[in-house]
Amino acid sequence: MTECISIGQLLGGNEVLLVLPESPLQWVDVIRHGISSASLVSLSSTLHLSQAELAAVLGISHRTLARRKREAMLNSEESAKVIRLARIIERAENVFDSLDKAVDWLKNRNASLSGLTPLSLVDTDVGAESVLDTLGRIEHGVFA
């Protein structure tokens, strides 16, 4: 079994984040202070998405993300959305034991999610929880 990618690595690691949290609660402080907009480049590269596609996945307007890139920081709400997406990618990679398989799963329609793609749901808390629930079911053999 290979070492799985972490949320911090998905967001650009030490080059992008000032601090790499070691526990879930430490992410709260990171979110409250905002994260570097450079994390968007890392996520779009991982998911093989354009910046406009990533903006749609996050539920943030493309113009807002372009402005944040110029400002170099995301606000706390935007940071929370980015970290939520990274948590879902990390979880999917753990379930599928492959980042490529995880990304493929996130981008493809899923019958257990009413035929929607998991990525189309992560812009809301309820959608993200549905994706995480589905990943849990796959992990436990309830869904193939």
Side-chain angles (χ1 to χ4, degrees), residues 41-91:
V41 175
S42 181
L43 275 179
S44 65
S45 175
T46 297
L47 292 170
H48 310 290
L49 296 175
S50 69
Q51 290 293 308
E53 291 169 323
L54 182 62
V57 166
L58 294 170
I60 302 170
S61 79
H62 181 34
R63 293 181 73 177
T64 297
L65 284 189
R67 187 172 57 252
R68 295 293 186 253
K69 283 181 82 172
R70 286 192 306 274
E71 295 169 355
M73 289 295 288
L74 302 174
N75 68 28
S76 61
E77 183 180 329
E78 295 154 351
S79 296
K81 289 181 176 189
V82 168
I83 290 170
R84 178 173 56 207
L85 175 56
R87 289 180 62 220
I88 289 171
I89 296 166
E90 177 190 54
R91 179 77 170 105

mmCIF file of all heavy atoms in Angstrom, residues 41-91:
data_model
loop_
_atom_site.group_PDB
_atom_site.id
_atom_site.type_symbol
_atom_site.label_atom_id
_atom_site.label_comp_id
_atom_site.label_asym_id
_atom_site.label_seq_id
_atom_site.Cartn_x
_atom_site.Cartn_y
_atom_site.Cartn_z
ATOM 1 N N VAL A 41 -3.828 26.618 -7.518
ATOM 2 C CA VAL A 41 -3.009 26.066 -8.611
ATOM 3 C C VAL A 41 -2.736 24.590 -8.352
ATOM 4 O O VAL A 41 -2.861 23.752 -9.248
ATOM 5 C CB VAL A 41 -1.686 26.858 -8.763
ATOM 6 C CG1 VAL A 41 -0.783 26.215 -9.798
ATOM 7 C CG2 VAL A 41 -1.968 28.310 -9.113
ATOM 8 N N SER A 42 -2.408 24.270 -7.119
ATOM 9 C CA SER A 42 -2.130 22.881 -6.756
ATOM 10 C C SER A 42 -3.369 22.010 -6.939
ATOM 11 O O SER A 42 -3.297 20.919 -7.509
ATOM 12 C CB SER A 42 -1.632 22.822 -5.311
ATOM 13 O OG SER A 42 -1.335 21.493 -4.957
ATOM 14 N N LEU A 43 -4.523 22.493 -6.474
ATOM 15 C CA LEU A 43 -5.758 21.715 -6.613
ATOM 16 C C LEU A 43 -6.170 21.546 -8.066
ATOM 17 O O LEU A 43 -6.578 20.453 -8.469
ATOM 18 C CB LEU A 43 -6.900 22.378 -5.838
ATOM 19 C CG LEU A 43 -7.018 22.047 -4.373
ATOM 20 C CD1 LEU A 43 -8.187 22.804 -3.747
ATOM 21 C CD2 LEU A 43 -7.178 20.563 -4.145
ATOM 22 N N SER A 44 -6.091 22.601 -8.847
ATOM 23 C CA SER A 44 -6.495 22.484 -10.250
ATOM 24 C C SER A 44 -5.568 21.534 -10.997
ATOM 25 O O SER A 44 -6.006 20.774 -11.861
ATOM 26 C CB SER A 44 -6.566 23.854 -10.940
ATOM 27 O OG SER A 44 -5.308 24.458 -11.012
ATOM 28 N N SER A 45 -4.302 21.520 -10.638
ATOM 29 C CA SER A 45 -3.355 20.589 -11.246
ATOM 30 C C SER A 45 -3.684 19.153 -10.856
ATOM 31 O O SER A 45 -3.698 18.255 -11.708
ATOM 32 C CB SER A 45 -1.935 20.944 -10.814
ATOM 33 O OG SER A 45 -1.020 19.998 -11.283
ATOM 34 N N THR A 46 -3.966 18.912 -9.597
ATOM 35 C CA THR A 46 -4.305 17.572 -9.118
ATOM 36 C C THR A 46 -5.553 17.040 -9.810
ATOM 37 O O THR A 46 -5.605 15.881 -10.210
ATOM 38 C CB THR A 46 -4.542 17.588 -7.588
ATOM 39 O OG1 THR A 46 -3.324 17.971 -6.952
ATOM 40 C CG2 THR A 46 -4.991 16.226 -7.076
ATOM 41 N N LEU A 47 -6.564 17.894 -9.956
ATOM 42 C CA LEU A 47 -7.843 17.475 -10.528
ATOM 43 C C LEU A 47 -7.889 17.590 -12.051
ATOM 44 O O LEU A 47 -8.876 17.210 -12.661
ATOM 45 C CB LEU A 47 -8.979 18.305 -9.923
ATOM 46 C CG LEU A 47 -9.254 18.062 -8.447
ATOM 47 C CD1 LEU A 47 -10.225 19.103 -7.904
ATOM 48 C CD2 LEU A 47 -9.783 16.657 -8.225
ATOM 49 N N HIS A 48 -6.839 18.150 -12.634
ATOM 50 C CA HIS A 48 -6.800 18.377 -14.083
ATOM 51 C C HIS A 48 -7.999 19.228 -14.513
ATOM 52 O O HIS A 48 -8.717 18.889 -15.455
ATOM 53 C CB HIS A 48 -6.751 17.060 -14.863
ATOM 54 C CG HIS A 48 -5.702 16.120 -14.372
ATOM 55 N ND1 HIS A 48 -4.352 16.360 -14.545
ATOM 56 C CD2 HIS A 48 -5.789 14.953 -13.696
ATOM 57 C CE1 HIS A 48 -3.665 15.371 -13.995
ATOM 58 N NE2 HIS A 48 -4.507 14.508 -13.468
ATOM 59 N N LEU A 49 -8.193 20.341 -13.799
ATOM 60 C CA LEU A 49 -9.270 21.277 -14.082
ATOM 61 C C LEU A 49 -8.694 22.645 -14.385
ATOM 62 O O LEU A 49 -7.670 23.026 -13.817
ATOM 63 C CB LEU A 49 -10.207 21.414 -12.871
ATOM 64 C CG LEU A 49 -10.992 20.194 -12.412
ATOM 65 C CD1 LEU A 49 -11.747 20.525 -11.126
ATOM 66 C CD2 LEU A 49 -11.946 19.725 -13.484
ATOM 67 N N SER A 50 -9.386 23.391 -15.231
ATOM 68 C CA SER A 50 -9.007 24.786 -15.450
ATOM 69 C C SER A 50 -9.414 25.589 -14.224
ATOM 70 O O SER A 50 -10.180 25.115 -13.374
ATOM 71 C CB SER A 50 -9.731 25.333 -16.690
ATOM 72 O OG SER A 50 -11.120 25.457 -16.417
ATOM 73 N N GLN A 51 -8.927 26.802 -14.129
ATOM 74 C CA GLN A 51 -9.305 27.661 -13.004
ATOM 75 C C GLN A 51 -10.817 27.926 -13.016
ATOM 76 O O GLN A 51 -11.446 27.961 -11.963
ATOM 77 C CB GLN A 51 -8.528 28.976 -13.043
ATOM 78 C CG GLN A 51 -7.054 28.821 -12.717
ATOM 79 C CD GLN A 51 -6.811 28.413 -11.277
ATOM 80 O OE1 GLN A 51 -7.294 29.021 -10.335
ATOM 81 N NE2 GLN A 51 -6.045 27.349 -11.100
ATOM 82 N N ALA A 52 -11.407 28.080 -14.211
ATOM 83 C CA ALA A 52 -12.855 28.306 -14.304
ATOM 84 C C ALA A 52 -13.620 27.078 -13.825
ATOM 85 O O ALA A 52 -14.633 27.206 -13.109
ATOM 86 C CB ALA A 52 -13.240 28.652 -15.737
ATOM 87 N N GLU A 53 -13.162 25.894 -14.186
ATOM 88 C CA GLU A 53 -13.819 24.662 -13.726
ATOM 89 C C GLU A 53 -13.682 24.510 -12.219
ATOM 90 O O GLU A 53 -14.629 24.118 -11.536
ATOM 91 C CB GLU A 53 -13.222 23.444 -14.441
ATOM 92 C CG GLU A 53 -13.561 23.376 -15.916
ATOM 93 C CD GLU A 53 -12.743 22.324 -16.657
ATOM 94 O OE1 GLU A 53 -11.541 22.154 -16.334
ATOM 95 O OE2 GLU A 53 -13.303 21.682 -17.561
ATOM 96 N N LEU A 54 -12.499 24.814 -11.683
ATOM 97 C CA LEU A 54 -12.294 24.739 -10.241
ATOM 98 C C LEU A 54 -13.202 25.726 -9.517
ATOM 99 O O LEU A 54 -13.786 25.397 -8.479
ATOM 100 C CB LEU A 54 -10.831 24.998 -9.881
ATOM 101 C CG LEU A 54 -10.492 24.904 -8.395
ATOM 102 C CD1 LEU A 54 -10.759 23.501 -7.854
ATOM 103 C CD2 LEU A 54 -9.036 25.293 -8.160
ATOM 104 N N ALA A 55 -13.350 26.918 -10.065
ATOM 105 C CA ALA A 55 -14.246 27.916 -9.469
ATOM 106 C C ALA A 55 -15.666 27.363 -9.379
ATOM 107 O O ALA A 55 -16.331 27.503 -8.348
ATOM 108 C CB ALA A 55 -14.217 29.208 -10.284
ATOM 109 N N ALA A 56 -16.126 26.705 -10.437
ATOM 110 C CA ALA A 56 -17.475 26.127 -10.442
ATOM 111 C C ALA A 56 -17.598 25.029 -9.382
ATOM 112 O O ALA A 56 -18.599 24.951 -8.668
ATOM 113 C CB ALA A 56 -17.816 25.585 -11.823
ATOM 114 N N VAL A 57 -16.581 24.177 -9.274
ATOM 115 C CA VAL A 57 -16.594 23.100 -8.279
ATOM 116 C C VAL A 57 -16.682 23.691 -6.872
ATOM 117 O O VAL A 57 -17.403 23.171 -6.018
ATOM 118 C CB VAL A 57 -15.344 22.206 -8.428
ATOM 119 C CG1 VAL A 57 -15.142 21.309 -7.221
ATOM 120 C CG2 VAL A 57 -15.428 21.380 -9.707
ATOM 121 N N LEU A 58 -15.976 24.769 -6.625
ATOM 122 C CA LEU A 58 -15.952 25.386 -5.301
ATOM 123 C C LEU A 58 -17.168 26.265 -5.028
ATOM 124 O O LEU A 58 -17.417 26.629 -3.881
ATOM 125 C CB LEU A 58 -14.677 26.223 -5.133
ATOM 126 C CG LEU A 58 -13.371 25.448 -5.114
ATOM 127 C CD1 LEU A 58 -12.186 26.405 -5.204
ATOM 128 C CD2 LEU A 58 -13.273 24.570 -3.866
ATOM 129 N N GLY A 59 -17.913 26.602 -6.074
ATOM 130 C CA GLY A 59 -19.040 27.498 -5.892
ATOM 131 C C GLY A 59 -18.609 28.927 -5.626
ATOM 132 O O GLY A 59 -19.242 29.667 -4.881
ATOM 133 N N ILE A 60 -17.497 29.310 -6.251
ATOM 134 C CA ILE A 60 -16.949 30.665 -6.135
ATOM 135 C C ILE A 60 -16.823 31.196 -7.551
ATOM 136 O O ILE A 60 -16.354 30.490 -8.441
ATOM 137 C CB ILE A 60 -15.560 30.651 -5.453
ATOM 138 C CG1 ILE A 60 -15.642 30.019 -4.060
ATOM 139 C CG2 ILE A 60 -14.991 32.064 -5.362
ATOM 140 C CD1 ILE A 60 -14.277 29.755 -3.425
ATOM 141 N N SER A 61 -17.222 32.432 -7.784
ATOM 142 C CA SER A 61 -17.163 32.945 -9.154
ATOM 143 C C SER A 61 -15.711 32.994 -9.654
ATOM 144 O O SER A 61 -14.771 33.212 -8.875
ATOM 145 C CB SER A 61 -17.797 34.335 -9.242
ATOM 146 O OG SER A 61 -16.914 35.327 -8.773
ATOM 147 N N HIS A 62 -15.581 32.785 -10.949
ATOM 148 C CA HIS A 62 -14.264 32.801 -11.574
ATOM 149 C C HIS A 62 -13.594 34.164 -11.362
ATOM 150 O O HIS A 62 -12.394 34.249 -11.098
ATOM 151 C CB HIS A 62 -14.398 32.467 -13.054
ATOM 152 C CG HIS A 62 -13.108 32.420 -13.810
ATOM 153 N ND1 HIS A 62 -11.931 31.990 -13.245
ATOM 154 C CD2 HIS A 62 -12.803 32.735 -15.094
ATOM 155 C CE1 HIS A 62 -10.958 32.054 -14.148
ATOM 156 N NE2 HIS A 62 -11.477 32.511 -15.268
ATOM 157 N N ARG A 63 -14.370 35.245 -11.450
ATOM 158 C CA ARG A 63 -13.818 36.590 -11.261
ATOM 159 C C ARG A 63 -13.312 36.790 -9.840
ATOM 160 O O ARG A 63 -12.272 37.408 -9.616
ATOM 161 C CB ARG A 63 -14.859 37.643 -11.612
ATOM 162 C CG ARG A 63 -15.188 37.646 -13.108
ATOM 163 C CD ARG A 63 -16.185 38.697 -13.428
ATOM 164 N NE ARG A 63 -15.510 39.989 -13.352
ATOM 165 C CZ ARG A 63 -16.083 41.135 -13.628
ATOM 166 N NH1 ARG A 63 -17.338 41.178 -13.972
ATOM 167 N NH2 ARG A 63 -15.403 42.255 -13.544
ATOM 168 N N THR A 64 -14.041 36.239 -8.868
ATOM 169 C CA THR A 64 -13.606 36.340 -7.475
ATOM 170 C C THR A 64 -12.293 35.598 -7.280
ATOM 171 O O THR A 64 -11.367 36.111 -6.629
ATOM 172 C CB THR A 64 -14.680 35.795 -6.519
ATOM 173 O OG1 THR A 64 -15.854 36.602 -6.647
ATOM 174 C CG2 THR A 64 -14.203 35.800 -5.072
ATOM 175 N N LEU A 65 -12.190 34.401 -7.848
ATOM 176 C CA LEU A 65 -10.932 33.651 -7.704
ATOM 177 C C LEU A 65 -9.779 34.371 -8.388
ATOM 178 O O LEU A 65 -8.661 34.379 -7.865
ATOM 179 C CB LEU A 65 -11.076 32.231 -8.254
ATOM 180 C CG LEU A 65 -11.837 31.248 -7.371
ATOM 181 C CD1 LEU A 65 -11.708 29.832 -7.920
ATOM 182 C CD2 LEU A 65 -11.382 31.289 -5.938
ATOM 183 N N ALA A 66 -10.037 34.986 -9.528
ATOM 184 C CA ALA A 66 -8.984 35.745 -10.212
ATOM 185 C C ALA A 66 -8.529 36.915 -9.338
ATOM 186 O O ALA A 66 -7.329 37.199 -9.230
ATOM 187 C CB ALA A 66 -9.486 36.246 -11.564
ATOM 188 N N ARG A 67 -9.487 37.579 -8.690
ATOM 189 C CA ARG A 67 -9.147 38.686 -7.791
ATOM 190 C C ARG A 67 -8.343 38.180 -6.596
ATOM 191 O O ARG A 67 -7.359 38.789 -6.179
ATOM 192 C CB ARG A 67 -10.430 39.397 -7.331
ATOM 193 C CG ARG A 67 -10.179 40.644 -6.528
ATOM 194 C CD ARG A 67 -11.446 41.451 -6.249
ATOM 195 N NE ARG A 67 -12.475 40.700 -5.560
ATOM 196 C CZ ARG A 67 -13.612 40.276 -6.120
ATOM 197 N NH1 ARG A 67 -13.864 40.521 -7.392
ATOM 198 N NH2 ARG A 67 -14.505 39.597 -5.414
ATOM 199 N N ARG A 68 -8.752 37.040 -6.047
ATOM 200 C CA ARG A 68 -8.027 36.469 -4.901
ATOM 201 C C ARG A 68 -6.601 36.079 -5.288
ATOM 202 O O ARG A 68 -5.686 36.201 -4.478
ATOM 203 C CB ARG A 68 -8.759 35.255 -4.328
ATOM 204 C CG ARG A 68 -10.096 35.560 -3.732
ATOM 205 C CD ARG A 68 -9.971 36.423 -2.480
ATOM 206 N NE ARG A 68 -11.267 36.562 -1.865
ATOM 207 C CZ ARG A 68 -11.987 37.684 -1.883
ATOM 208 N NH1 ARG A 68 -11.506 38.777 -2.441
ATOM 209 N NH2 ARG A 68 -13.165 37.721 -1.315
ATOM 210 N N LYS A 69 -6.415 35.619 -6.512
ATOM 211 C CA LYS A 69 -5.060 35.284 -6.962
ATOM 212 C C LYS A 69 -4.187 36.539 -6.957
ATOM 213 O O LYS A 69 -3.027 36.484 -6.560
ATOM 214 C CB LYS A 69 -5.092 34.644 -8.338
ATOM 215 C CG LYS A 69 -5.536 33.186 -8.295
ATOM 216 C CD LYS A 69 -5.539 32.565 -9.653
ATOM 217 C CE LYS A 69 -4.156 32.118 -10.022
ATOM 218 N NZ LYS A 69 -4.099 31.329 -11.256
ATOM 219 N N ARG A 70 -4.758 37.658 -7.371
ATOM 220 C CA ARG A 70 -4.002 38.921 -7.345
ATOM 221 C C ARG A 70 -3.712 39.346 -5.910
ATOM 222 O O ARG A 70 -2.643 39.870 -5.619
ATOM 223 C CB ARG A 70 -4.767 40.024 -8.074
ATOM 224 C CG ARG A 70 -4.759 39.900 -9.576
ATOM 225 C CD ARG A 70 -5.280 41.157 -10.262
ATOM 226 N NE ARG A 70 -6.590 41.580 -9.801
ATOM 227 C CZ ARG A 70 -7.766 41.138 -10.261
ATOM 228 N NH1 ARG A 70 -7.791 40.217 -11.211
ATOM 229 N NH2 ARG A 70 -8.901 41.598 -9.781
ATOM 230 N N GLU A 71 -4.674 39.120 -5.014
ATOM 231 C CA GLU A 71 -4.518 39.499 -3.605
ATOM 232 C C GLU A 71 -3.662 38.496 -2.833
ATOM 233 O O GLU A 71 -3.217 38.791 -1.731
ATOM 234 C CB GLU A 71 -5.902 39.603 -2.943
ATOM 235 C CG GLU A 71 -6.761 40.705 -3.516
ATOM 236 C CD GLU A 71 -8.214 40.631 -3.059
ATOM 237 O OE1 GLU A 71 -8.588 39.660 -2.355
ATOM 238 O OE2 GLU A 71 -8.980 41.539 -3.419
ATOM 239 N N ALA A 72 -3.472 37.317 -3.399
ATOM 240 C CA ALA A 72 -2.626 36.248 -2.853
ATOM 241 C C ALA A 72 -3.234 35.477 -1.679
ATOM 242 O O ALA A 72 -2.623 34.546 -1.189
ATOM 243 C CB ALA A 72 -1.236 36.766 -2.470
ATOM 244 N N MET A 73 -4.429 35.862 -1.212
ATOM 245 C CA MET A 73 -5.053 35.157 -0.080
ATOM 246 C C MET A 73 -6.533 34.937 -0.338
ATOM 247 O O MET A 73 -7.180 35.758 -0.979
ATOM 248 C CB MET A 73 -4.904 35.963 1.211
ATOM 249 C CG MET A 73 -3.509 36.027 1.777
ATOM 250 S SD MET A 73 -2.865 34.446 2.320
ATOM 251 C CE MET A 73 -3.815 34.176 3.789
ATOM 252 N N LEU A 74 -7.025 33.828 0.202
ATOM 253 C CA LEU A 74 -8.453 33.547 0.186
ATOM 254 C C LEU A 74 -9.030 33.952 1.537
ATOM 255 O O LEU A 74 -8.348 33.876 2.557
ATOM 256 C CB LEU A 74 -8.695 32.052 -0.027
ATOM 257 C CG LEU A 74 -8.116 31.441 -1.303
ATOM 258 C CD1 LEU A 74 -8.318 29.930 -1.305
ATOM 259 C CD2 LEU A 74 -8.748 32.063 -2.538
ATOM 260 N N ASN A 75 -10.296 34.377 1.541
ATOM 261 C CA ASN A 75 -10.911 34.689 2.826
ATOM 262 C C ASN A 75 -11.283 33.387 3.535
ATOM 263 O O ASN A 75 -11.095 32.295 2.991
ATOM 264 C CB ASN A 75 -12.104 35.645 2.664
ATOM 265 C CG ASN A 75 -13.281 35.025 1.943
ATOM 266 O OD1 ASN A 75 -13.506 33.808 1.969
ATOM 267 N ND2 ASN A 75 -14.064 35.868 1.288
ATOM 268 N N SER A 76 -11.815 33.484 4.735
ATOM 269 C CA SER A 76 -12.074 32.271 5.525
ATOM 270 C C SER A 76 -13.131 31.378 4.883
ATOM 271 O O SER A 76 -12.986 30.151 4.884
ATOM 272 C CB SER A 76 -12.463 32.628 6.957
ATOM 273 O OG SER A 76 -13.638 33.390 6.972
ATOM 274 N N GLU A 77 -14.170 31.954 4.309
ATOM 275 C CA GLU A 77 -15.210 31.147 3.659
ATOM 276 C C GLU A 77 -14.645 30.401 2.440
ATOM 277 O O GLU A 77 -14.909 29.209 2.256
ATOM 278 C CB GLU A 77 -16.372 32.043 3.238
ATOM 279 C CG GLU A 77 -17.520 31.288 2.618
ATOM 280 C CD GLU A 77 -18.662 32.209 2.217
ATOM 281 O OE1 GLU A 77 -18.881 33.248 2.867
ATOM 282 O OE2 GLU A 77 -19.331 31.870 1.234
ATOM 283 N N GLU A 78 -13.869 31.096 1.639
ATOM 284 C CA GLU A 78 -13.257 30.462 0.466
ATOM 285 C C GLU A 78 -12.240 29.408 0.893
ATOM 286 O O GLU A 78 -12.170 28.333 0.296
ATOM 287 C CB GLU A 78 -12.595 31.534 -0.408
ATOM 288 C CG GLU A 78 -13.580 32.515 -1.001
ATOM 289 C CD GLU A 78 -12.988 33.875 -1.324
ATOM 290 O OE1 GLU A 78 -11.828 34.158 -0.946
ATOM 291 O OE2 GLU A 78 -13.707 34.676 -1.943
ATOM 292 N N SER A 79 -11.480 29.715 1.931
ATOM 293 C CA SER A 79 -10.503 28.752 2.449
ATOM 294 C C SER A 79 -11.199 27.482 2.916
ATOM 295 O O SER A 79 -10.718 26.366 2.670
ATOM 296 C CB SER A 79 -9.705 29.365 3.596
ATOM 297 O OG SER A 79 -8.941 30.453 3.138
ATOM 298 N N ALA A 80 -12.328 27.626 3.583
ATOM 299 C CA ALA A 80 -13.084 26.465 4.059
ATOM 300 C C ALA A 80 -13.535 25.601 2.882
ATOM 301 O O ALA A 80 -13.473 24.365 2.955
ATOM 302 C CB ALA A 80 -14.279 26.909 4.886
ATOM 303 N N LYS A 81 -13.960 26.219 1.804
ATOM 304 C CA LYS A 81 -14.389 25.460 0.625
ATOM 305 C C LYS A 81 -13.219 24.713 -0.010
ATOM 306 O O LYS A 81 -13.359 23.559 -0.416
ATOM 307 C CB LYS A 81 -15.042 26.392 -0.400
ATOM 308 C CG LYS A 81 -16.394 26.898 0.026
ATOM 309 C CD LYS A 81 -16.997 27.792 -1.029
ATOM 310 C CE LYS A 81 -18.399 28.231 -0.636
ATOM 311 N NZ LYS A 81 -19.077 28.931 -1.729
ATOM 312 N N VAL A 82 -12.089 25.366 -0.079
ATOM 313 C CA VAL A 82 -10.896 24.735 -0.666
ATOM 314 C C VAL A 82 -10.447 23.552 0.193
ATOM 315 O O VAL A 82 -10.142 22.471 -0.328
ATOM 316 C CB VAL A 82 -9.768 25.779 -0.842
ATOM 317 C CG1 VAL A 82 -8.437 25.116 -1.156
ATOM 318 C CG2 VAL A 82 -10.140 26.775 -1.939
ATOM 319 N N ILE A 83 -10.429 23.750 1.491
ATOM 320 C CA ILE A 83 -10.006 22.675 2.392
ATOM 321 C C ILE A 83 -11.020 21.531 2.379
ATOM 322 O O ILE A 83 -10.641 20.360 2.412
ATOM 323 C CB ILE A 83 -9.731 23.226 3.799
ATOM 324 C CG1 ILE A 83 -8.457 24.086 3.738
ATOM 325 C CG2 ILE A 83 -9.577 22.103 4.828
ATOM 326 C CD1 ILE A 83 -8.161 24.890 4.974
ATOM 327 N N ARG A 84 -12.301 21.856 2.276
ATOM 328 C CA ARG A 84 -13.325 20.798 2.169
ATOM 329 C C ARG A 84 -13.071 19.942 0.937
ATOM 330 O O ARG A 84 -13.121 18.716 0.988
ATOM 331 C CB ARG A 84 -14.725 21.419 2.132
ATOM 332 C CG ARG A 84 -15.821 20.382 1.971
ATOM 333 C CD ARG A 84 -17.213 20.980 2.096
ATOM 334 N NE ARG A 84 -17.428 22.047 1.155
ATOM 335 C CZ ARG A 84 -18.285 23.053 1.364
ATOM 336 N NH1 ARG A 84 -18.993 23.121 2.479
ATOM 337 N NH2 ARG A 84 -18.451 23.986 0.452
ATOM 338 N N LEU A 85 -12.781 20.584 -0.184
ATOM 339 C CA LEU A 85 -12.486 19.839 -1.409
ATOM 340 C C LEU A 85 -11.242 18.976 -1.227
ATOM 341 O O LEU A 85 -11.229 17.796 -1.608
ATOM 342 C CB LEU A 85 -12.306 20.799 -2.592
ATOM 343 C CG LEU A 85 -11.882 20.169 -3.915
ATOM 344 C CD1 LEU A 85 -12.855 19.075 -4.362
ATOM 345 C CD2 LEU A 85 -11.728 21.249 -4.982
ATOM 346 N N ALA A 86 -10.205 19.517 -0.625
ATOM 347 C CA ALA A 86 -8.976 18.741 -0.398
ATOM 348 C C ALA A 86 -9.244 17.546 0.514
ATOM 349 O O ALA A 86 -8.705 16.459 0.290
ATOM 350 C CB ALA A 86 -7.886 19.638 0.195
ATOM 351 N N ARG A 87 -10.088 17.729 1.530
ATOM 352 C CA ARG A 87 -10.444 16.610 2.430
ATOM 353 C C ARG A 87 -11.148 15.499 1.650
ATOM 354 O O ARG A 87 -10.904 14.317 1.892
ATOM 355 C CB ARG A 87 -11.350 17.104 3.561
ATOM 356 C CG ARG A 87 -10.630 17.964 4.580
ATOM 357 C CD ARG A 87 -11.558 18.439 5.690
ATOM 358 N NE ARG A 87 -12.090 17.286 6.412
ATOM 359 C CZ ARG A 87 -13.348 17.190 6.834
ATOM 360 N NH1 ARG A 87 -14.214 18.144 6.606
ATOM 361 N NH2 ARG A 87 -13.736 16.120 7.489
ATOM 362 N N ILE A 88 -12.017 15.881 0.727
ATOM 363 C CA ILE A 88 -12.737 14.885 -0.062
ATOM 364 C C ILE A 88 -11.784 14.153 -1.002
ATOM 365 O O ILE A 88 -11.869 12.929 -1.153
ATOM 366 C CB ILE A 88 -13.912 15.539 -0.816
ATOM 367 C CG1 ILE A 88 -15.000 15.908 0.200
ATOM 368 C CG2 ILE A 88 -14.452 14.627 -1.914
ATOM 369 C CD1 ILE A 88 -16.116 16.749 -0.334
ATOM 370 N N ILE A 89 -10.863 14.879 -1.615
ATOM 371 C CA ILE A 89 -9.873 14.230 -2.484
ATOM 372 C C ILE A 89 -9.028 13.257 -1.662
ATOM 373 O O ILE A 89 -8.784 12.123 -2.077
ATOM 374 C CB ILE A 89 -8.970 15.271 -3.177
ATOM 375 C CG1 ILE A 89 -9.788 16.162 -4.111
ATOM 376 C CG2 ILE A 89 -7.847 14.573 -3.957
ATOM 377 C CD1 ILE A 89 -9.044 17.410 -4.579
ATOM 378 N N GLU A 90 -8.578 13.697 -0.492
ATOM 379 C CA GLU A 90 -7.780 12.838 0.379
ATOM 380 C C GLU A 90 -8.552 11.570 0.741
ATOM 381 O O GLU A 90 -8.028 10.455 0.689
ATOM 382 C CB GLU A 90 -7.390 13.597 1.652
ATOM 383 C CG GLU A 90 -6.613 12.745 2.640
ATOM 384 C CD GLU A 90 -6.439 13.421 3.990
ATOM 385 O OE1 GLU A 90 -7.467 13.838 4.588
ATOM 386 O OE2 GLU A 90 -5.291 13.525 4.451
ATOM 387 N N ARG A 91 -9.819 11.722 1.098
ATOM 388 C CA ARG A 91 -10.651 10.578 1.477
ATOM 389 C C ARG A 91 -10.843 9.630 0.300
ATOM 390 O O ARG A 91 -10.747 8.405 0.449
ATOM 391 C CB ARG A 91 -12.007 11.078 1.987
ATOM 392 C CG ARG A 91 -12.956 9.983 2.396
ATOM 393 C CD ARG A 91 -12.559 9.441 3.765
ATOM 394 N NE ARG A 91 -13.614 8.570 4.249
ATOM 395 C CZ ARG A 91 -13.512 7.236 4.267
ATOM 396 N NH1 ARG A 91 -12.407 6.651 3.877
ATOM 397 N NH2 ARG A 91 -14.508 6.509 4.691
#
